[in-house]
Amino acid sequence: MKIEFAPLRLPLRRRLQTAAVVQWVFSFLALAQVCLGVFVLLCLSDWWILAALYVGWLYLDRDTPSCGGRRSHWVRNWRVWTYFRDYFPITLMKTADLDPRYNYLFGFHPHGVLVAGGFGNFCTEASGFSRMFPGLTPYLLMLPFWFRVPFFREYIMGGGLVSSEKASASYLLSRPGGGQAAVIAVGGAPESLDARPGALTLQLLQRKGFIKLALKHGAWLVPVFSFGENELFDQMENPAGSALRRVQDRLQRIMGVALPLFHARGVFQYSFGLLPYRKPIHTVVGRPIPVSQNPCPSKDDIDALHTLYMEALTQVFEENKNNYGIPEDKHLNFI
C-alpha cells in the first residue's frame, strides 16, 4: 500500500486542528480506560484514602448524570473546540426559531461512527448553539455505562453529556419553564455499524421510544440531520448476515456498545489511521413539531406522531441535500 505523507510545511493552525481532533478521538477511544487505570493505581498506592473518598463521592453523586448532569461553561468554551470545529469544519444551520418557553427533543441523524457533529454542536459552544438558539440548553444523551467510570464521568458531564436512561430524558423534558433540549442519536449504536461514506440508511422504523417520551411530557420534536457525518470514516465491509456483522451484533447486545472496525487517516499521513477525514459536517436543525402532552399515549398516538416525524426528517434532508453535494436521486432509507 502506497502511503501518502502529509506535507512538512503546514500552517500552525492546521497542526493545532489536527491536535484537537487527536485529543477528541483519544477521549472517545481510550480516556475512559486511562481514567479507570489511574483509579486502580490510586487504590493500590499510598494515596488510597483519596480513592476511598472519591468512591464516597461517586455514591453521593450517583444520580447527577440522570438529573441534568453538571455542565461547565468553562469546558464548553475551551479554545481547543474551535480548532476541533475548524478541522472538518463543522457548521450548525437553523431553519426556524425555537421558542425557549418549551422543552425540546432533538432527534439527531445519522449516528455516524463517533457522533462528531453531535458533539461539536451540542457539547461545545464552538458552532454557536447558544447564540443561534438563545434560552435553550442542549444535553447530548450518552450510554449510562460511561458515567460509572471514575474521573471520566466528570469530564463528559462538563460538556453537557447526560445519561441516556429514560429517567434522564424524562427529567429534562419535564422541567418547568422550558428551555431544555435533549439530543438523542436515535439510531444508536447499531446504526454506527452501517456508517460509511455515502450511507443514507437510518434505523428509525422501530425506534418509537423517543416519540412516546415527547408525548408524555409535551416536548416538541425537532428533526436534525447532520450532512457529512457518515463521510468521516471508512469501515470494514460488514454486510448483514456476514460473520463479522454477526459478531458485532452479538457484542453489541451483550455490552450495549457497538464496535465498528473503522479507519481513515493518521496524524502525519493520509493513508491509514483512526483520525477522521477532513470532510465538512453541516448539521441542519429542522422546524419544530408541536406536541401536546398526553400522559398515556396510545399506540395510534405514537404511530401517528412517528410518521409525522419521519416526514419532517425527510423534508429536512430533501430541502438541503443539493446544498451539500448529495445527488438528486439519493434519498433516505428507513429500516
Short mmCIF file of all heavy atoms in Angstrom, two decimals, residues 42 102 108 159 161 179 207 214 216 228 239 245 247 267 290 307 332 335:
data_model
loop_
_atom_site.label_atom_id
_atom_site.label_comp_id
_atom_site.label_asym_id
_atom_site.label_seq_id
_atom_site.Cartn_x
_atom_site.Cartn_y
_atom_site.Cartn_z
N LEU A 42 -4.37 4.33 42.03
CA LEU A 42 -4.57 5.14 43.22
C LEU A 42 -5.01 4.26 44.39
O LEU A 42 -4.56 4.45 45.54
CB LEU A 42 -5.62 6.22 42.93
CG LEU A 42 -5.68 7.43 43.87
CD1 LEU A 42 -4.36 8.17 43.89
CD2 LEU A 42 -6.82 8.35 43.44
N TYR A 102 -40.65 26.32 25.63
CA TYR A 102 -40.95 24.89 25.52
C TYR A 102 -39.68 24.08 25.74
O TYR A 102 -38.55 24.57 25.56
CB TYR A 102 -41.52 24.57 24.15
CG TYR A 102 -42.82 25.28 23.84
CD1 TYR A 102 -42.83 26.44 23.07
CD2 TYR A 102 -44.03 24.81 24.34
CE1 TYR A 102 -44.00 27.11 22.78
CE2 TYR A 102 -45.22 25.48 24.06
CZ TYR A 102 -45.20 26.63 23.29
OH TYR A 102 -46.37 27.29 23.02
N PHE A 108 -31.23 13.29 16.48
CA PHE A 108 -30.01 13.52 15.69
C PHE A 108 -29.78 12.34 14.75
O PHE A 108 -29.76 11.19 15.17
CB PHE A 108 -28.81 13.70 16.63
CG PHE A 108 -27.51 13.99 15.91
CD1 PHE A 108 -27.18 15.29 15.58
CD2 PHE A 108 -26.64 12.97 15.57
CE1 PHE A 108 -25.99 15.57 14.92
CE2 PHE A 108 -25.45 13.24 14.91
CZ PHE A 108 -25.12 14.54 14.59
N GLY A 159 -19.17 18.81 29.47
CA GLY A 159 -19.59 19.27 28.16
C GLY A 159 -21.09 19.28 27.95
O GLY A 159 -21.57 19.72 26.91
N LEU A 161 -22.98 16.31 28.52
CA LEU A 161 -23.43 14.95 28.28
C LEU A 161 -24.17 14.44 29.51
O LEU A 161 -23.74 14.68 30.65
CB LEU A 161 -22.26 14.03 27.95
CG LEU A 161 -21.70 14.19 26.54
CD1 LEU A 161 -20.22 13.83 26.50
CD2 LEU A 161 -22.47 13.33 25.55
N GLY A 179 -37.00 25.52 27.92
CA GLY A 179 -35.60 25.88 27.67
C GLY A 179 -34.64 24.72 27.66
O GLY A 179 -33.43 24.92 27.53
N ARG A 207 -37.93 2.64 16.00
CA ARG A 207 -37.47 3.48 17.12
C ARG A 207 -38.59 4.45 17.49
O ARG A 207 -38.73 5.52 16.87
CB ARG A 207 -36.21 4.24 16.71
CG ARG A 207 -35.06 3.35 16.27
CD ARG A 207 -34.24 2.91 17.44
NE ARG A 207 -33.22 1.94 17.07
CZ ARG A 207 -32.11 1.75 17.74
NH1 ARG A 207 -31.87 2.48 18.82
NH2 ARG A 207 -31.25 0.82 17.39
N ALA A 214 -41.73 12.16 24.13
CA ALA A 214 -42.17 13.50 23.74
C ALA A 214 -43.65 13.70 24.04
O ALA A 214 -44.07 14.76 24.53
CB ALA A 214 -41.88 13.72 22.26
N LYS A 216 -45.52 12.06 26.30
CA LYS A 216 -45.79 12.03 27.74
C LYS A 216 -45.47 13.36 28.40
O LYS A 216 -46.12 13.75 29.38
CB LYS A 216 -44.99 10.90 28.41
CG LYS A 216 -45.49 9.51 28.06
CD LYS A 216 -44.69 8.43 28.77
CE LYS A 216 -44.94 8.46 30.27
NZ LYS A 216 -44.26 7.32 30.95
N GLY A 228 -22.74 14.86 6.06
CA GLY A 228 -21.30 14.63 6.14
C GLY A 228 -20.90 13.74 7.30
O GLY A 228 -19.73 13.31 7.39
N PRO A 239 -21.56 -6.57 5.77
CA PRO A 239 -22.97 -6.63 5.37
C PRO A 239 -23.77 -7.52 6.31
O PRO A 239 -23.23 -8.42 6.97
CB PRO A 239 -22.92 -7.22 3.96
CG PRO A 239 -21.61 -7.94 3.89
CD PRO A 239 -20.67 -7.16 4.75
N ARG A 245 -20.42 -9.16 10.94
CA ARG A 245 -21.60 -8.47 11.43
C ARG A 245 -22.28 -9.26 12.54
O ARG A 245 -22.80 -8.69 13.51
CB ARG A 245 -22.57 -8.23 10.28
CG ARG A 245 -23.77 -7.34 10.64
CD ARG A 245 -23.29 -5.98 11.22
NE ARG A 245 -24.38 -5.05 11.35
CZ ARG A 245 -24.70 -4.13 10.45
NH1 ARG A 245 -23.98 -4.01 9.33
NH2 ARG A 245 -25.70 -3.32 10.64
N VAL A 247 -20.82 -11.20 14.71
CA VAL A 247 -20.00 -10.99 15.91
C VAL A 247 -20.27 -9.60 16.49
O VAL A 247 -20.44 -9.44 17.70
CB VAL A 247 -18.51 -11.17 15.60
CG1 VAL A 247 -17.65 -10.74 16.79
CG2 VAL A 247 -18.21 -12.62 15.24
N VAL A 267 -1.96 10.93 11.76
CA VAL A 267 -1.52 12.28 12.12
C VAL A 267 -0.57 12.86 11.07
O VAL A 267 -0.73 14.01 10.64
CB VAL A 267 -0.81 12.26 13.50
CG1 VAL A 267 -0.29 13.66 13.85
CG2 VAL A 267 -1.75 11.75 14.58
N PRO A 290 -44.86 20.70 16.92
CA PRO A 290 -45.58 20.90 18.19
C PRO A 290 -46.18 19.58 18.69
O PRO A 290 -46.71 18.79 17.91
CB PRO A 290 -46.68 21.90 17.81
CG PRO A 290 -46.19 22.57 16.58
CD PRO A 290 -45.40 21.55 15.84
N THR A 307 -44.89 8.88 12.34
CA THR A 307 -45.00 9.10 10.90
C THR A 307 -44.75 10.56 10.56
O THR A 307 -44.04 10.89 9.59
CB THR A 307 -46.40 8.68 10.40
OG1 THR A 307 -46.59 7.29 10.65
CG2 THR A 307 -46.54 8.95 8.90
N LEU A 332 -33.32 9.13 1.72
CA LEU A 332 -33.14 8.41 2.97
C LEU A 332 -33.82 7.04 2.89
O LEU A 332 -34.87 6.89 2.26
CB LEU A 332 -33.74 9.20 4.14
CG LEU A 332 -33.09 10.54 4.48
CD1 LEU A 332 -33.82 11.20 5.64
CD2 LEU A 332 -31.62 10.35 4.82
N ILE A 335 -35.03 1.89 8.08
CA ILE A 335 -35.15 0.45 8.36
C ILE A 335 -35.55 0.27 9.84
O ILE A 335 -35.45 1.19 10.62
CB ILE A 335 -33.84 -0.32 8.08
CG1 ILE A 335 -32.68 0.22 8.92
CG2 ILE A 335 -33.50 -0.25 6.60
CD1 ILE A 335 -31.42 -0.62 8.80
#
